[in-house]
Amino acid sequence: MQCEADSRDRAVGRDSRLLAASACCATLGAACILLAACSAPMVRPSADAAIARTPAPVVVSDLAIEPKTVELPIPSSPWPRLRARYAMPGCDYSPDVRQFAAQMASSPFHLAVALKDAMPFLLVVTEQIEKYDMPGEFAFLPWVESSYTMVPAQGDGVAGMWQLMPFTARENGLRVDGEYDGRLDVAASSRTALALLKQYKESFGDWRLANMAFNAGENSVRAALGKQRSIAPAGIAKLRLNQVNYEHLIKLLAIACIVSKPERYRVELPEPVAEDATALLELPAPLDLHLAAKLAGMDYPRLQRLNPAYLQGRMPEGGPFHLLVPATRRAAVEKTLGMLPQYAWRSWREAKLQRPQSLDTLAMAYDVDAVALAQINRVPAATATLPAGTRLMLPARGEESAPAPVATATPASTAGAGSTCTVRAGDTLWDIANRYGVRMEDLLHWNRMSRNATLRLGQRIVLSAPALDAMK
């Protein structure tokens, strides 16, 4: 796994952060959690492929879905669920555990606020611990490591709430590159970290040694054990390991101690509300996170906080394709995505209408469902005419990846009756109408075309009223 030098440096770095904040650990946790919303850069999506093709919409779910927010029951409290799974001594391990617990709880209010901010992530980790039958204490390991903060990567250092090294992450199946960093993926990084802990338990036979191996590195613990294949619990404290590694275990047990006996430390543990519950959507294609935020009815930074692993604002072509969203909005996201062609999921942008347009006409021009476009943009009716200056989220048109559409004609504002243009590569009726300042409805009438007409290269398109129409 990790070399001992890297592990030691990582442990010392984490320890200095936590010890410096021991008197107000929870306050630091709250501040870090707020910073996580900005941990990945907000990058405007690049244009997707040209929209000449119109594949059939991909239905993500066959559920009967209501587009509005769905009322869900409040998630069950994580605290009794975790206490029931405790497997280590906790408060009774040593006086050091109780002393450090008192330091952490020196500001009970701020500790409770920080735990409340971490609740969406804590619930995800709690579910993973139950799924993989792990000790409840390990739900607090991300708190020891990072105060449940999605720490962004810096060079070859640790990242994410579990503080995994890039080598360790890749060796255990997590993708780490410029588009996606699995260490910042709440669900994926939790699965990897818990699998590592279980592997260490199988190697060393004790969950405390498993925790120390996670912090110090497997080789460090193996070297400390020497030829011993197993060790009595009382002998763990006598192993020749760095003091930082022992303190890491003490801190984990101290947090578990506070949760087991919050009244002793005057801490009122926060309880989850419906908004804390999240749902993981597995998708068949990449999705623009700005579009996902619109679908989920939330601002982009909040969605990004739940999905910081996607570093470019959208899912990479090679995957993974999953999204963590508020459970109350899962149904709405699934339904609207099911109305859109799959190719239109990947790249969206904000556009400003230069003149009044109906949403129905826009939907036809962009080959998307009008109802879906209305729901994404919170427009009440698909047939409504939107005034000039309206800002809308629309699929990217592929300007950067396809040849620029070219037409030869004089703009309609100065052209005489019967002026035309020639269709070139990439042209659509919408492009031509916008370029020459004509209404889509007029363009269809003058050319006797339907809204779903397909253009051919070299085709002549009439841009103004024919002579007979002009004299009427």
Side-chain angles (χ1 to χ4, degrees):
M1 291 295 171
Q2 303 145 284
C3 67
E4 294 182 26
D6 285 343
S7 301
R8 190 176 300 112
D9 289 343
R10 183 185 74 165
V12 171
R14 282 197 305 264
D15 183 65
S16 63
R17 287 200 310 273
L18 287 165
L19 288 180
S22 61
C24 53
C25 175
T27 304
L28 176 60
C32 289
I33 289 171
L34 291 174
L35 286 174
C38 301
S39 63
M42 187 182 297
V43 180
R44 182 178 294 276
S46 61
D48 202 354
I51 61 170
R53 53 198 171 91
T54 311
V58 176
V59 177
V60 184
S61 173
D62 58 358
L63 298 174
I65 300 167
E66 189 65 33
K68 296 181 180 179
T69 299
V70 177
E71 291 187 7
L72 295 176
I74 296 175
S76 62
S77 174
W79 314 119
R81 295 157 61 187
L82 294 172
R83 292 185 199 113
R85 304 189 67 83
Y86 278 6
M88 290 181 269
C91 300
D92 299 326
Y93 185 70
S94 72
D96 291 339
V97 170
R98 294 185 291 274
Q99 180 180 354
F100 195 82
Q103 290 178 358
M104 289 190 63
S106 60
S107 178
F109 173 77
H110 289 97
L111 178 58
V113 169
L115 289 172
K116 175 60 179 173
D117 287 341
M119 186 62 71
F121 298 152
L122 178 63
L123 290 174
V124 173
V125 174
T126 299
E127 290 175 0
Q128 297 273 9
I129 280 178
E130 292 172 335
K131 180 177 180 179
Y132 295 106
D133 193 23
M134 297 289 289
E137 291 95 335
F138 287 126
F140 311 124
L141 186 51
W143 186 266
V144 173
E145 295 286 345
S146 66
S147 296
Y148 263 99
T149 302
M150 287 297 171
V151 179
Q154 294 185 358
D156 293 329
V158 295
M161 65 183 186
W162 295 93
Q163 294 286 268
L164 296 171
M165 295 290 288
F167 172 79
T168 302
R170 293 189 182 103
E171 190 179 54
N172 288 275
L174 284 180
R175 176 178 171 180
V176 178
D177 55 37
E179 292 186 290
Y180 170 85
D181 189 336
R183 297 172 297 171
L184 303 177
D185 188 313
V186 180
S189 66
S190 297
R191 286 194 299 269
T192 297
L194 293 176
L196 274 173
L197 289 163
K198 182 167 282 192
Q199 174 185 317
Y200 296 150
K201 168 61 163 59
E202 292 173 356
S203 297
F204 303 122
D206 191 288
W207 285 115
R208 286 166 292 182
L209 287 176
N211 178 78
M212 297 172 99
F214 187 90
N215 172 250
E218 183 179 14
N219 291 336
S220 294
V221 174
R222 199 173 299 281
L225 286 172
K227 296 182 179 180
Q228 301 178 82
R229 292 189 177 182
S230 62
I231 188 170
I236 293 176
K238 299 177 182 179
L239 291 176
R240 293 185 178 180
L241 285 167
N242 192 299
Q243 185 63 26
V244 172
N245 307 140
Y246 283 109
E247 290 177 355
H248 184 274
L249 174 62
I250 294 299
K251 293 167 188 174
L252 179 70
L253 298 179
I255 301 170
C257 176
I258 293 173
V259 171
S260 67
K261 300 179 180 180
E263 64 285 347
R264 173 192 289 185
Y265 298 98
R266 303 184 308 281
V267 174
E268 186 174 348
L269 296 175
E271 295 297 339
V273 296
E275 289 72 19
D276 292 323
T278 57
L280 188 67
L281 296 181
E282 296 288 349
L283 303 173
L287 176 65
D288 186 311
L289 262 65
H290 293 83
L291 171 61
K294 286 281 188 179
L295 296 174
M298 58 198 302
D299 58 61
Y300 178 75
R302 185 182 168 206
L303 183 80
Q304 190 184 46
R305 185 194 174 213
L306 293 176
N307 301 275
Y310 299 114
L311 305 180
Q312 303 298 327
R314 64 169 177 255
M315 299 173 185
E317 288 291 348
F321 307 144
H322 55 240
L323 187 72
L324 198 64
V325 298
T328 56
R329 293 295 300 173
R330 174 176 185 161
V333 173
E334 286 185 320
K335 175 161 188 178
T336 307
L337 274 182
M339 298 177 185
L340 295 173
Q342 183 176 325
Y343 77 87
W345 291 8
R346 187 174 187 269
S347 187
W348 284 62
R349 62 182 174 84
E350 186 180 78
K352 182 179 179 181
L353 295 184
Q354 300 302 311
R355 62 178 183 279
Q357 289 287 348
S358 74
L359 200 65
D360 187 58
T361 299
L362 286 168
M364 182 198 72
Y366 283 89
D367 295 322
V368 295
D369 185 89
V371 174
L373 202 57
Q375 291 180 0
I376 291 167
N377 288 285
R378 302 294 185 266
V379 176
T383 57
T385 298
L386 306 175
T390 301
R391 293 188 174 276
L392 298 172
M393 283 286 290
L394 296 169
R397 303 278 304 188
E399 291 90 342
E400 297 177 5
S401 59
V406 178
T408 57
T410 305
S413 58
T414 60
S419 295
T420 63
C421 72
T422 303
V423 175
R424 300 292 181 90
D427 270 348
T428 67
L429 285 170
W430 171 253
D431 293 326
I432 294 172
N434 268 320
R435 189 176 305 114
Y436 296 101
V438 298
R439 297 173 63 246
M440 177 67 78
E441 291 78 5
D442 290 337
L443 198 66
L444 295 173
H445 171 68
W446 295 333
N447 290 276
R448 293 179 172 79
M449 289 182 173
S450 64
R451 293 181 180 276
N452 59 355
T454 300
L455 299 183
R456 305 183 306 277
L457 288 178
Q459 182 179 353
R460 304 292 292 182
I461 300 296
V462 176
L463 297 174
S464 59
L468 290 178
D469 283 353
M471 291 188 294
K472 291 180 180 179

Coordinates of all heavy atoms in Angstrom, one line a residue, residues 330-406:
R330 N -35.1 13.0 -6.1 CA -34.7 11.9 -7.0 C -35.7 11.6 -8.1 O -35.4 11.5 -9.2 CB -34.5 10.6 -6.2 CG -34.3 9.4 -7.0 CD -34.0 8.2 -6.2 NE -33.6 7.1 -7.1 CZ -33.0 6.0 -6.7 NH1 -32.6 5.8 -5.4 NH2 -32.7 5.0 -7.5
A331 N -37.0 11.6 -7.7 CA -38.1 11.3 -8.7 C -38.1 12.3 -9.8 O -38.2 12.0 -11.0 CB -39.4 11.2 -8.0
A332 N -38.0 13.6 -9.4 CA -38.1 14.7 -10.4 C -36.9 14.6 -11.4 O -37.0 14.8 -12.6 CB -38.1 16.0 -9.7
V333 N -35.7 14.3 -10.8 CA -34.5 14.2 -11.7 C -34.7 13.0 -12.7 O -34.4 13.2 -13.9 CB -33.3 14.0 -10.8 CG1 -32.0 13.7 -11.7 CG2 -33.0 15.2 -10.0
E334 N -35.1 11.9 -12.2 CA -35.3 10.7 -13.1 C -36.3 11.0 -14.2 O -36.1 10.6 -15.3 CB -35.7 9.5 -12.2 CG -34.6 8.9 -11.4 CD -35.0 7.7 -10.7 OE1 -36.1 7.6 -10.2 OE2 -34.2 6.7 -10.6
K335 N -37.4 11.6 -13.8 CA -38.5 11.8 -14.8 C -38.0 12.7 -15.9 O -38.2 12.4 -17.1 CB -39.8 12.3 -14.2 CG -40.8 12.6 -15.2 CD -42.2 12.7 -14.7 CE -43.2 12.8 -15.8 NZ -44.6 12.8 -15.4
T336 N -37.4 13.8 -15.6 CA -37.1 14.8 -16.6 C -35.9 14.3 -17.4 O -35.9 14.5 -18.7 CB -36.7 16.1 -15.9 OG1 -37.7 16.6 -15.1 CG2 -36.5 17.2 -17.0
L337 N -35.0 13.6 -16.8 CA -33.9 13.0 -17.6 C -34.5 11.9 -18.6 O -34.0 11.8 -19.8 CB -32.9 12.3 -16.7 CG -31.8 13.1 -16.2 CD1 -30.8 12.2 -15.4 CD2 -31.0 13.8 -17.3
G338 N -35.5 11.2 -18.2 CA -36.2 10.3 -19.1 C -36.8 10.9 -20.3 O -37.1 10.2 -21.3
M339 N -37.1 12.2 -20.3 CA -37.7 12.9 -21.4 C -36.7 13.4 -22.4 O -37.0 13.8 -23.5 CB -38.5 14.1 -20.9 CG -39.7 13.8 -20.0 SD -40.5 15.3 -19.4 CE -41.7 14.7 -18.3
L340 N -35.4 13.4 -22.0 CA -34.4 14.0 -22.8 C -33.6 12.9 -23.6 O -33.4 11.8 -23.1 CB -33.4 14.8 -22.0 CG -33.9 16.0 -21.3 CD1 -32.8 16.5 -20.3 CD2 -34.3 17.1 -22.3
P341 N -33.2 13.2 -24.9 CA -32.3 12.2 -25.6 C -31.0 12.1 -24.8 O -30.5 13.1 -24.3 CB -32.2 12.8 -27.0 CG -32.5 14.3 -26.8 CD -33.5 14.4 -25.7
Q342 N -30.5 11.0 -24.8 CA -29.3 10.7 -24.0 C -28.1 11.6 -24.4 O -27.3 12.1 -23.5 CB -28.9 9.2 -24.2 CG -27.7 8.8 -23.3 CD -27.4 7.3 -23.4 OE1 -28.4 6.5 -23.5 NE2 -26.2 6.9 -23.4
Y343 N -27.9 11.9 -25.7 CA -26.8 12.7 -26.1 C -26.9 14.1 -25.6 O -25.9 14.8 -25.5 CB -26.7 12.7 -27.7 CG -27.7 13.6 -28.3 CD1 -27.4 15.0 -28.5 CD2 -28.9 13.2 -28.8 CE1 -28.3 15.8 -29.1 CE2 -29.8 14.0 -29.4 CZ -29.5 15.3 -29.5 OH -30.4 16.2 -30.1
A344 N -28.1 14.6 -25.2 CA -28.3 15.9 -24.8 C -28.0 16.1 -23.3 O -28.1 17.2 -22.8 CB -29.7 16.4 -25.1
W345 N -27.7 15.0 -22.6 CA -27.4 15.1 -21.2 C -26.1 15.8 -20.8 O -25.9 16.4 -19.8 CB -27.4 13.7 -20.5 CG -28.7 13.0 -20.5 CD1 -29.8 13.3 -21.1 CD2 -28.9 11.7 -19.8 NE1 -30.8 12.4 -20.8 CE2 -30.2 11.4 -20.1 CE3 -28.1 10.9 -19.1 CZ2 -30.8 10.2 -19.6 CZ3 -28.7 9.7 -18.6 CH2 -30.0 9.4 -18.8
R346 N -25.1 15.6 -21.7 CA -23.7 15.9 -21.3 C -23.3 17.3 -21.2 O -22.6 17.7 -20.3 CB -22.8 15.2 -22.3 CG -21.3 15.2 -21.9 CD -20.4 14.4 -22.8 NE -19.1 14.4 -22.2 CZ -18.1 15.3 -22.5 NH1 -18.4 16.3 -23.3 NH2 -16.9 15.2 -22.0
S347 N -23.8 18.2 -22.0 CA -23.3 19.6 -22.0 C -24.4 20.6 -22.2 O -25.1 20.5 -23.3 CB -22.2 19.7 -23.1 OG -21.6 21.0 -23.0
W348 N -24.6 21.5 -21.3 CA -25.6 22.5 -21.3 C -25.0 23.8 -21.1 O -23.9 23.9 -20.5 CB -26.7 22.2 -20.3 CG -27.7 21.1 -20.8 CD1 -27.4 19.9 -21.0 CD2 -29.1 21.3 -21.1 NE1 -28.4 19.1 -21.4 CE2 -29.5 20.0 -21.4 CE3 -30.0 22.3 -21.0 CZ2 -30.8 19.8 -21.8 CZ3 -31.3 22.1 -21.3 CH2 -31.7 20.8 -21.7
R349 N -25.6 24.9 -21.5 CA -25.1 26.2 -21.3 C -26.3 27.2 -21.1 O -27.4 26.9 -21.4 CB -24.3 26.7 -22.5 CG -25.1 26.8 -23.8 CD -24.3 27.2 -25.0 NE -25.1 27.2 -26.2 CZ -25.9 28.1 -26.6 NH1 -26.0 29.2 -25.9 NH2 -26.5 28.0 -27.8
E350 N -26.0 28.4 -20.5 CA -27.0 29.4 -20.4 C -27.0 30.3 -21.6 O -26.0 30.7 -22.1 CB -26.8 30.2 -19.1 CG -27.9 31.2 -18.8 CD -27.7 32.0 -17.6 OE1 -26.9 33.0 -17.7 OE2 -28.2 31.7 -16.6
A351 N -28.2 30.5 -22.2 CA -28.3 31.4 -23.4 C -29.4 32.5 -23.1 O -30.3 32.3 -22.3 CB -28.8 30.6 -24.6
K352 N -29.2 33.6 -23.8 CA -30.1 34.7 -23.7 C -30.8 34.9 -25.0 O -30.2 35.1 -26.0 CB -29.3 36.0 -23.3 CG -30.1 37.3 -23.1 CD -29.2 38.4 -22.8 CE -30.0 39.7 -22.6 NZ -29.1 40.9 -22.2
L353 N -32.2 34.9 -24.9 CA -33.0 35.1 -26.1 C -32.8 36.5 -26.7 O -32.9 37.5 -25.9 CB -34.4 34.8 -25.8 CG -34.8 33.4 -25.4 CD1 -36.3 33.3 -25.3 CD2 -34.3 32.4 -26.4
Q354 N -32.5 36.6 -28.0 CA -32.4 37.9 -28.6 C -33.7 38.5 -29.0 O -33.8 39.7 -29.3 CB -31.5 37.8 -29.9 CG -30.1 37.2 -29.5 CD -29.4 38.1 -28.5 OE1 -29.3 39.4 -28.7 NE2 -28.8 37.5 -27.5
R355 N -34.7 37.7 -29.1 CA -36.1 38.1 -29.5 C -37.1 37.1 -28.9 O -36.7 36.0 -28.5 CB -36.2 38.2 -31.0 CG -36.1 36.9 -31.7 CD -36.3 37.2 -33.2 NE -36.2 35.9 -33.9 CZ -35.1 35.3 -34.3 NH1 -34.0 35.9 -34.0 NH2 -35.1 34.2 -35.0
P356 N -38.4 37.5 -28.8 CA -39.4 36.6 -28.3 C -39.4 35.2 -29.0 O -39.3 35.2 -30.2 CB -40.7 37.3 -28.5 CG -40.3 38.8 -28.5 CD -39.0 38.8 -29.2
Q357 N -39.5 34.2 -28.3 CA -39.6 32.8 -28.9 C -40.5 32.0 -28.0 O -40.5 32.1 -26.8 CB -38.2 32.2 -28.9 CG -37.2 32.8 -29.9 CD -37.6 32.4 -31.3 OE1 -38.4 31.5 -31.5 NE2 -37.0 33.1 -32.3
S358 N -41.2 31.0 -28.6 CA -41.9 30.1 -27.9 C -41.0 28.9 -27.4 O -40.1 28.6 -28.2 CB -43.1 29.5 -28.7 OG -42.6 28.6 -29.7
L359 N -41.3 28.4 -26.3 CA -40.5 27.3 -25.8 C -40.7 26.0 -26.7 O -39.8 25.3 -26.9 CB -40.9 26.9 -24.4 CG -39.9 26.1 -23.6 CD1 -38.7 27.0 -23.3 CD2 -40.5 25.7 -22.2
D360 N -41.8 25.9 -27.3 CA -42.1 24.8 -28.2 C -41.1 24.9 -29.4 O -40.6 23.9 -29.9 CB -43.5 24.8 -28.7 CG -43.9 23.6 -29.5 OD1 -43.7 22.5 -29.0 OD2 -44.3 23.7 -30.7
T361 N -40.9 26.1 -29.9 CA -40.0 26.3 -31.1 C -38.6 26.0 -30.7 O -37.8 25.3 -31.4 CB -40.1 27.7 -31.6 OG1 -41.5 27.9 -32.0 CG2 -39.2 27.9 -32.7
L362 N -38.2 26.4 -29.5 CA -36.9 26.1 -29.0 C -36.6 24.6 -28.8 O -35.6 24.1 -29.1 CB -36.6 26.8 -27.6 CG -36.5 28.4 -27.7 CD1 -36.6 28.9 -26.2 CD2 -35.1 28.7 -28.2
A363 N -37.6 24.0 -28.3 CA -37.5 22.5 -28.1 C -37.3 21.8 -29.4 O -36.5 20.9 -29.5 CB -38.8 22.0 -27.4
M364 N -38.0 22.2 -30.4 CA -37.9 21.6 -31.8 C -36.5 21.9 -32.3 O -35.8 21.0 -32.8 CB -38.9 22.2 -32.7 CG -38.9 21.6 -34.1 SD -39.7 22.6 -35.3 CE -38.5 24.0 -35.5
A365 N -36.0 23.1 -32.1 CA -34.7 23.5 -32.7 C -33.6 22.7 -32.0 O -32.6 22.3 -32.6 CB -34.4 25.0 -32.5
Y366 N -33.7 22.4 -30.7 CA -32.7 21.7 -30.0 C -33.0 20.2 -29.8 O -32.2 19.5 -29.1 CB -32.5 22.3 -28.6 CG -31.7 23.6 -28.6 CD1 -32.4 24.8 -28.8 CD2 -30.4 23.6 -28.5 CE1 -31.7 26.0 -28.9 CE2 -29.6 24.8 -28.6 CZ -30.3 26.0 -28.7 OH -29.6 27.1 -28.8
D367 N -34.0 19.7 -30.5 CA -34.3 18.3 -30.5 C -34.5 17.7 -29.1 O -34.0 16.6 -28.7 CB -33.3 17.4 -31.2 CG -33.2 17.8 -32.7 OD1 -34.3 18.0 -33.3 OD2 -32.1 17.8 -33.2
V368 N -35.2 18.5 -28.2 CA -35.5 18.0 -26.9 C -37.0 18.1 -26.6 O -37.7 18.9 -27.3 CB -34.7 18.8 -25.8 CG1 -33.2 18.5 -25.9 CG2 -35.0 20.3 -25.8
D369 N -37.5 17.5 -25.6 CA -38.9 17.5 -25.2 C -39.2 18.9 -24.6 O -38.5 19.4 -23.7 CB -39.2 16.4 -24.2 CG -40.6 16.3 -23.9 OD1 -41.3 15.6 -24.6 OD2 -41.1 17.0 -22.9
A370 N -40.3 19.5 -25.1 CA -40.7 20.8 -24.7 C -41.1 20.8 -23.2 O -40.8 21.8 -22.5 CB -41.9 21.3 -25.5
V371 N -41.8 19.8 -22.7 CA -42.1 19.7 -21.3 C -40.9 19.6 -20.4 O -40.8 20.3 -19.4 CB -43.1 18.5 -21.1 CG1 -43.3 18.3 -19.6 CG2 -44.4 18.6 -21.8
A372 N -39.9 18.8 -20.9 CA -38.7 18.7 -20.1 C -37.9 20.1 -20.1 O -37.4 20.5 -19.0 CB -37.7 17.7 -20.8
L373 N -37.9 20.8 -21.2 CA -37.3 22.1 -21.3 C -38.0 23.1 -20.3 O -37.3 23.9 -19.7 CB -37.3 22.6 -22.7 CG -36.2 23.7 -23.1 CD1 -34.8 23.2 -22.8 CD2 -36.4 24.1 -24.5
A374 N -39.3 23.0 -20.3 CA -40.1 23.8 -19.4 C -39.8 23.5 -17.9 O -39.6 24.5 -17.1 CB -41.6 23.7 -19.6
Q375 N -39.6 22.3 -17.6 CA -39.4 21.9 -16.2 C -37.9 22.3 -15.8 O -37.7 22.8 -14.7 CB -39.6 20.4 -16.0 CG -41.0 20.0 -16.1 CD -41.2 18.5 -15.9 OE1 -40.2 17.7 -15.7 NE2 -42.4 18.0 -16.0
I376 N -37.0 22.1 -16.7 CA -35.6 22.5 -16.4 C -35.5 24.0 -16.1 O -34.8 24.4 -15.2 CB -34.7 22.1 -17.6 CG1 -34.6 20.6 -17.6 CG2 -33.3 22.7 -17.4 CD1 -34.0 20.1 -18.9
N377 N -36.2 24.8 -16.9 CA -36.1 26.2 -16.8 C -37.2 26.9 -15.9 O -37.3 28.1 -15.8 CB -36.1 26.9 -18.2 CG -34.8 26.6 -18.9 OD1 -33.8 27.2 -18.6 ND2 -34.8 25.6 -19.9
R378 N -38.0 26.0 -15.3 CA -39.1 26.5 -14.4 C -40.0 27.5 -15.2 O -40.4 28.5 -14.7 CB -38.5 27.2 -13.2 CG -37.6 26.3 -12.3 CD -38.4 25.2 -11.7 NE -37.6 24.4 -10.8 CZ -36.9 23.3 -11.1 NH1 -36.9 22.9 -12.4 NH2 -36.2 22.7 -10.2
V379 N -40.3 27.1 -16.4 CA -41.3 27.9 -17.2 C -42.6 27.2 -17.1 O -42.7 25.9 -17.3 CB -40.8 28.0 -18.7 CG1 -41.8 28.7 -19.6 CG2 -39.4 28.7 -18.7
P380 N -43.7 27.9 -16.9 CA -45.0 27.2 -16.6 C -45.6 26.4 -17.7 O -46.2 25.4 -17.5 CB -45.9 28.3 -16.2 CG -45.3 29.6 -16.7 CD -43.8 29.3 -16.7
A381 N -45.4 26.8 -19.0 CA -46.1 26.1 -20.1 C -45.1 26.0 -21.3 O -44.4 27.0 -21.6 CB -47.3 26.9 -20.5
A382 N -45.1 24.8 -21.9 CA -44.2 24.6 -23.0 C -44.6 25.5 -24.2 O -43.7 25.8 -25.1 CB -44.3 23.1 -23.5
T383 N -45.8 25.9 -24.3 CA -46.2 26.7 -25.5 C -46.1 28.2 -25.2 O -46.5 29.1 -26.1 CB -47.7 26.4 -25.8 OG1 -48.5 26.6 -24.7 CG2 -47.8 25.0 -26.3
A384 N -45.6 28.6 -24.0 CA -45.6 30.0 -23.7 C -44.5 30.7 -24.6 O -43.5 30.1 -24.9 CB -45.2 30.2 -22.2
T385 N -44.8 32.0 -24.9 CA -43.8 32.8 -25.7 C -43.0 33.6 -24.6 O -43.5 34.3 -23.8 CB -44.5 33.8 -26.6 OG1 -45.3 33.0 -27.6 CG2 -43.5 34.7 -27.3
L386 N -41.7 33.4 -24.7 CA -40.8 34.0 -23.8 C -40.3 35.3 -24.3 O -39.9 35.4 -25.5 CB -39.6 33.0 -23.5 CG -40.0 31.6 -23.0 CD1 -38.8 30.7 -22.9 CD2 -40.8 31.7 -21.7
P387 N -40.2 36.3 -23.5 CA -39.7 37.6 -24.0 C -38.2 37.7 -24.3 O -37.5 36.9 -23.8 CB -40.1 38.6 -22.9 CG -40.1 37.7 -21.6 CD -40.6 36.4 -22.1
A388 N -37.8 38.6 -25.1 CA -36.4 38.8 -25.4 C -35.7 39.1 -24.1 O -36.3 39.8 -23.2 CB -36.2 40.0 -26.4
G389 N -34.5 38.6 -24.0 CA -33.7 38.8 -22.7 C -33.8 37.7 -21.7 O -33.1 37.7 -20.8
T390 N -34.8 36.8 -22.0 CA -35.0 35.6 -21.1 C -33.7 34.8 -21.1 O -33.2 34.5 -22.2 CB -36.2 34.8 -21.5 OG1 -37.4 35.6 -21.4 CG2 -36.4 33.6 -20.5
R391 N -33.2 34.3 -19.9 CA -32.1 33.4 -19.9 C -32.6 32.0 -19.6 O -33.4 31.8 -18.7 CB -31.1 33.9 -18.8 CG -30.4 35.2 -19.1 CD -29.4 35.5 -18.0 NE -28.6 36.7 -18.4 CZ -27.6 36.7 -19.3 NH1 -27.2 35.6 -19.8 NH2 -27.0 37.9 -19.5
L392 N -32.1 31.1 -20.5 CA -32.5 29.7 -20.4 C -31.3 28.8 -20.4 O -30.2 29.1 -20.9 CB -33.4 29.4 -21.6 CG -34.7 30.1 -21.8 CD1 -35.3 29.7 -23.1 CD2 -35.7 29.8 -20.7
M393 N -31.5 27.6 -19.8 CA -30.5 26.6 -19.9 C -30.9 25.8 -21.1 O -32.0 25.3 -21.3 CB -30.5 25.7 -18.7 CG -29.8 26.2 -17.5 SD -28.0 26.2 -17.6 CE -27.7 24.4 -17.5
L394 N -29.9 25.6 -22.1 CA -30.2 24.9 -23.3 C -29.0 23.9 -23.6 O -27.9 24.2 -23.1 CB -30.3 25.9 -24.5 CG -31.5 26.8 -24.4 CD1 -31.3 27.9 -25.5 CD2 -32.8 26.1 -24.6
P395 N -29.3 22.9 -24.4 CA -28.2 22.0 -24.7 C -27.1 22.7 -25.6 O -27.4 23.6 -26.3 CB -28.9 20.9 -25.6 CG -30.3 21.0 -25.2 CD -30.6 22.4 -24.9
A396 N -25.8 22.4 -25.3 CA -24.8 22.9 -26.1 C -24.9 22.5 -27.6 O -25.4 21.3 -27.8 CB -23.4 22.5 -25.6
R397 N -24.6 23.4 -28.5 CA -24.9 23.1 -29.9 C -23.8 22.4 -30.7 O -23.9 22.2 -31.9 CB -25.3 24.4 -30.6 CG -26.4 25.1 -30.0 CD -27.7 24.6 -30.5 NE -27.9 24.6 -31.9 CZ -29.0 24.3 -32.6 NH1 -30.1 24.0 -31.9 NH2 -29.0 24.3 -33.9
G398 N -22.6 22.3 -30.0 CA -21.5 21.7 -30.7 C -20.6 22.6 -31.5 O -20.0 22.2 -32.4
E399 N -20.7 23.9 -31.1 CA -19.9 24.9 -31.9 C -18.4 24.6 -31.9 O -17.7 24.9 -32.9 CB -20.1 26.3 -31.3 CG -21.5 26.8 -31.5 CD -22.4 26.5 -30.4 OE1 -22.1 25.6 -29.6 OE2 -23.5 27.1 -30.3
E400 N -17.9 24.0 -30.8 CA -16.5 23.8 -30.7 C -16.0 22.5 -31.4 O -14.9 22.3 -31.7 CB -16.0 23.7 -29.3 CG -16.3 25.1 -28.6 CD -15.9 25.0 -27.1 OE1 -15.4 24.0 -26.7 OE2 -16.1 26.0 -26.4
S401 N -17.0 21.5 -31.6 CA -16.6 20.2 -32.1 C -17.1 20.0 -33.6 O -16.6 19.1 -34.2 CB -17.2 19.1 -31.3 OG -18.6 19.2 -31.2
A402 N -18.0 20.8 -34.1 CA -18.5 20.7 -35.4 C -18.1 21.9 -36.3 O -17.9 22.9 -35.8 CB -20.0 20.5 -35.4
P403 N -18.1 21.7 -37.6 CA -17.8 22.8 -38.5 C -18.8 23.9 -38.3 O -20.0 23.7 -38.1 CB -17.9 22.2 -39.9 CG -17.8 20.8 -39.7 CD -18.3 20.5 -38.4
A404 N -18.4 25.2 -38.3 CA -19.3 26.3 -38.1 C -20.3 26.3 -39.3 O -19.9 26.3 -40.4 CB -18.5 27.6 -38.0
P405 N -21.6 26.4 -39.0 CA -22.6 26.5 -40.1 C -22.4 27.7 -40.9 O -22.2 28.8 -40.3 CB -23.9 26.5 -39.3 CG -23.6 26.9 -37.9 CD -22.2 26.5 -37.7
V406 N -22.5 27.6 -42.2 CA -22.3 28.7 -43.1 C -23.5 28.8 -44.0 O -24.0 27.8 -44.5 CB -21.0 28.6 -43.9 CG1 -20.8 29.7 -44.8 CG2 -19.8 28.5 -43.0

